Amino acid sequence: MPSTDLGPTGRPRPDLREPGPRTTQGPAVVISMCNQKGGVGKTTTTINLGAALAEQGRRVLLVDFDPQGSMTVGLGYNAHEIEQSIYHVLMDRELSMKEVILGTTIDNMDLVPANIDLSAAEMRLVTEVGREQVLARALRDVRQEYDVILIDCQPSLGLLTVNALTASTGVIIPLECEYFALRGVALLNETIEKVRDRTNFDLKVIGLLGTMFDSRTLHGREVLQTLVDGWGDAVFHTVIRRTVKFSDSTVAGEPITEYAPTSPGAEAYRQLAREVLHRCPDA
């Protein structure tokens, strides 16, 4: 039963119990972190949600699918020194995803890295047969070995993002609590609908996540309320507040759950992990 305590979205906070261990052994739930607008917290959310899910006993694979390689750098690797990345898996059918997986400082959480090489993939894939399914094919090798696969998409609605959505069970849309961030959601939803119609009939929106929220500003509160008014229960109850700890943890190459485990930011991502597991019972 939800409590009467109102959360930052203006709705009663749900009473989410600690999720138990995964009861079924099957293919991983694949979730794309997607928004064509940059700087909305996609990479931060992918890293920290992954770490929080790993704390819950899930085996997690993070896939950096952005040529900027921000998630690779954010987990302590030098993207320029990576010899084999997701790009090579996409381009070479003989190369298995398993061969490029790197470990992280977090138990149960691994990384498929990316760097600037990936920027060439979009152009090379244009002439491929079934070009929208290339990532889905590559993930087949590892889906049985993980519980959750999180894909950090680039800020674009191009072929790489379509590949990620085609390979996914669902999509999470991080959205900065700022007016201009709202404008692109309709266009992103249109792209999701096209993918659902043409290449992935089972794709669903798991939720919209308010990020960089500052409750002290009227503007932030109004944007969050507009989001709830437009999307209703699709909006996560969890809201990620703006804090310098996220930048500090990125510089340290660690998730915030490791860098500042008792901070409000770390607890917010643990709460988000519980919501995601509640909405994705197969995870």
Side-chain angles (χ1 to χ4, degrees):
M1 290 290 292
S3 71
T4 56
D5 178 27
L6 296 182
T9 65
R11 296 170 294 169
R13 298 177 189 270
D15 181 16
L16 298 176
R17 298 177 181 177
E18 287 292 321
R22 188 173 183 181
T23 56
T24 58
Q25 183 61 49
V29 170
V30 183
I31 301 173
S32 283
M33 212 66 60
C34 189
N35 191 326
Q36 77 272 23
K37 187 178 185 301
V40 299
K42 290 189 296 294
T43 301
T44 297
T45 294
T46 308
I47 292 173
N48 292 303
L49 174 59
L53 288 168
E55 280 188 355
Q56 297 287 352
R58 268 52 180 184
R59 188 144 190 252
V60 180
L61 179 65
L62 305 184
V63 179
D64 193 343
F65 215 50
D66 184 347
Q68 297 178 72
S70 298
M71 185 162 68
T72 301
V73 173
L75 286 169
Y77 287 96
N78 185 332
H80 300 296
E81 296 179 355
I82 300 294
E83 293 185 2
Q84 288 187 317
S85 66
I86 185 64
Y87 168 77
H88 299 93
V89 178
L90 297 180
M91 294 296 106
D92 183 356
R93 295 183 66 91
E94 300 301 316
L95 183 65
S96 167
M97 184 80 81
K98 297 177 183 178
E99 297 178 61
V100 304
I101 290 175
L102 302 174
T104 72
T105 59
I106 305 300
D107 291 339
N108 293 323
M109 189 172 85
D110 295 329
L111 168 71
V112 175
N115 56 25
I116 194 64
D117 292 345
L118 187 58
S119 60
E122 199 145 16
M123 185 166 52
R124 293 189 61 181
L125 286 175
V126 167
T127 57
E128 288 284 324
V129 176
R131 57 184 178 268
E132 298 90 353
Q133 283 93 15
V134 176
L135 179 60
R137 174 192 58 79
L139 287 175
R140 283 203 301 261
D141 286 341
V142 296
R143 284 194 65 180
Q144 290 292 342
E145 300 184 15
Y146 292 91
D147 299 316
V148 181
I149 298 175
L150 298 178
I151 305 172
D152 183 25
C153 298
Q154 66 174 341
S156 156
L157 295 181
L159 184 54
L160 290 181
T161 298
V162 171
N163 256 267
L165 293 173
T166 300
S168 295
T169 312
V171 55
I172 292 176
I173 305 172
L175 191 79
E176 183 183 3
C177 293
E178 193 267 338
Y179 171 71
F180 288 110
L182 287 173
R183 300 178 63 192
V185 178
L187 183 59
L188 174 57
N189 192 52
E190 184 179 312
T191 299
I192 291 170
E193 288 293 340
K194 287 180 179 178
V195 170
R196 187 182 289 132
D197 287 343
R198 300 172 188 176
T199 62
N200 185 357
F201 309 119
D202 298 322
L203 181 66
K204 67 175 183 177
V205 175
I206 296 170
L208 287 80
L209 175 68
T211 64
M212 304 181 193
F213 177 62
D214 188 344
S215 61
R216 298 171 298 178
T217 67
L218 176 62
H219 179 70
R221 297 195 301 272
E222 286 180 341
V223 169
L224 192 57
Q225 186 58 53
T226 301
L227 194 61
V228 173
D229 290 345
W231 289 80
D233 288 339
V235 180
F236 285 110
H237 291 270
T238 303
V239 174
I240 309 301
R241 298 177 186 272
R242 192 182 296 272
T243 170
V244 72
K245 291 290 186 185
F246 290 125
S247 299
D248 292 344
S249 65
T250 299
V251 172
E254 296 178 344
I256 197 169
T257 52
E258 191 89 351
Y259 178 80
T262 61
S263 67
E267 183 50 42
Y269 276 108
R270 291 186 183 105
Q271 180 179 331
L272 178 62
R274 290 191 290 271
E275 276 204 77
V276 169
L277 291 175
H278 179 73
R279 296 186 183 203
C280 302
D282 293 332

